[in-house]
Amino acid sequence: MLPPIASRFVAGESPESAIDHARELNQRNVSVILNLLGEHYDEREPAEADAAAYRDLVDRIDEAGLSACISIKPSQLGLDLGGDAFRELVTDIVDHAAARDVFVWIDMEDHTTTDVTLDVYEDLARKHDGGVGVCVQANLERTREDIERLADVPGKVRFVKGAYDEPKSIAHKEKSRVDEAYRDLLAYAFEHFEGGIAVGSHDPAMIDYATDLHDEYGTDFEIQMLMGVREDAQYDLVDRGYEVWQYAPYGDKWFSYFYRRVRERKENLLFALRAVLGR
Ligand code: FAD
């Protein structure tokens, strides 16, 4: 069972609880990106089971008429199995979701997965003329070239700073350098993309920069933040008229996700404890 301390960051263990969470947030005009926790499967069976769970989740989102979508992880859907498993499983999900008008995001994992993730994303986005998005990471030096390639693909792109500890031969390691790269990517996207920009960051400076770019170029964008992180800011941004999506993971594999949130920021444990203690 999900302990109360983790429920600040995880929308329960079942699809029912995830849908309930989305319904509650929709009432506050925040849209929701649901992610079934799971990654790095080295057998086909759990990958197929999660693919089926995602198709079922898409049906639930559609039936409930929610402002919600899904976000999947490549290594959860067969990437580590080699061959065509990843492409097949993701294609099944995206085809299923497109028929129900539910959007599918593809998370980005470490740099060894970037090429295949972008290739599969591009093929599916062109096949469905949108309906799918991919994440790109500012800490990777290659990303500037990648977004030039993605500029005319009919999907969405989520810009994040990057969560993986990458080798220094291919990645910016200093926080200030990652921030600078993030700004450069946003500037390029607001100038050259027709829309479909997602600012996946909790950083007030990056969000202010994006709103300034929006004022300058008029390009549509959305802001994405994690469940349990700066939620007051999420509601505040909605009140200011911005489109906000909350990324909410769920499922029984919650422990390592919760542990990561606490490890990256010790205050998160304090916040979670306060939520449990009701102060
Ligand atoms: P940071 O650079 O960590 O912090 C900058 C400032 O933001 C802080 O000084 C503070 O003011 C504020 N802030 C940050 N965190 C908190 C907090 N917990 N509480 C209060 N204030 C805070 N990474 C990937 O590699 N692949 C993905 O597919 C991916 N998907 C993501 C999807 C979403 C919706 C989000 C929000 C992030 C995703 N990430 C992904 C993670 C991302 O790469 C970063 O590791 C993470 O978002 C931290 O960077 P940041 O821009 O939020 O801010």
Side-chain angles (χ1 to χ4, degrees), residues 33 73 106-109 135 137 158 160-164 175 179 200-204 224-226 229-230 247 264-265 268 271:
I33 305 166
K73 271 204 169 16
I106 306 177
D107 287 355
M108 187 61 81
E109 297 180 274
C135 178
Q137 299 150 322
R158 175 200 300 151
V160 299
K161 292 188 185 176
Y164 296 83
K175 184 175 161 24
D179 287 353
S201 176
H202 310 104
D203 190 339
Q224 299 185 354
M225 294 194 198
L226 302 182
V229 179
R230 300 199 68 220
Y247 184 109
E264 77 191 5
R265 212 176 158 88
N268 280 338
F271 287 139

Side-chain angles (χ1 to χ4, degrees), residues 2-181:
L2 187 68
I5 195 164
S7 59
R8 178 185 169 97
F9 301 101
V10 179
E13 291 192 290
S14 67
E16 289 83 3
S17 61
I19 292 289
D20 284 349
H21 178 75
R23 196 176 283 116
E24 273 171 37
L25 279 214
N26 280 186
Q27 280 162 7
R28 303 191 68 168
N29 295 321
V30 176
S31 299
V32 178
I33 305 166
L34 292 175
N35 165 259
L36 172 61
L37 290 163
E39 59 194 327
H40 293 301
Y41 297 143
D42 52 14
E43 284 175 23
R44 193 163 171 117
E45 203 186 326
E48 281 185 352
D50 280 9
Y54 273 123
R55 290 194 300 273
D56 171 64
L57 187 65
V58 162
D59 292 343
R60 291 172 189 259
I61 290 171
D62 178 36
E63 279 155 23
L66 294 171
S67 179
C69 64
I70 62 170
S71 201
I72 55 115
K73 271 204 169 16
S75 73
Q76 174 181 32
L77 294 167
L79 191 65
D80 296 357
L81 304 178
D84 285 334
F86 167 54
R87 183 177 283 274
E88 284 166 19
L89 293 176
V90 179
T91 301
D92 280 353
I93 294 170
V94 172
D95 289 352
H96 188 86
R100 288 152 187 82
D101 212 13
V102 174
F103 196 88
V104 179
W105 282 100
I106 306 177
D107 287 355
M108 187 61 81
E109 297 180 274
D110 73 65
H111 75 279
T112 62
T113 69
T114 311
D115 282 324
V116 62
T117 304
L118 293 182
D119 288 348
V120 168
Y121 159 71
E122 181 168 356
D123 291 349
L124 289 169
R126 291 197 188 284
K127 174 178 173 186
H128 292 286
D129 197 23
V132 56
V134 75
C135 178
V136 296
Q137 299 150 322
N139 64 333
L140 293 186
E141 286 174 6
R142 60 172 290 166
T143 299
R144 175 55 198 259
E145 266 179 45
D146 288 336
I147 63 161
E148 287 174 23
R149 160 188 171 186
L150 299 180
D152 75 340
V153 176
K156 291 190 189 181
V157 179
R158 175 200 300 151
F159 293 83
V160 299
K161 292 188 185 176
Y164 296 83
D165 186 17
E166 303 286 12
K168 69 171 189 285
S169 53
I170 56 157
H172 310 299
K173 302 301 282 183
E174 272 176 43
K175 184 175 161 24
S176 60
R177 189 63 199 93
V178 176
D179 287 353
E180 192 185 326

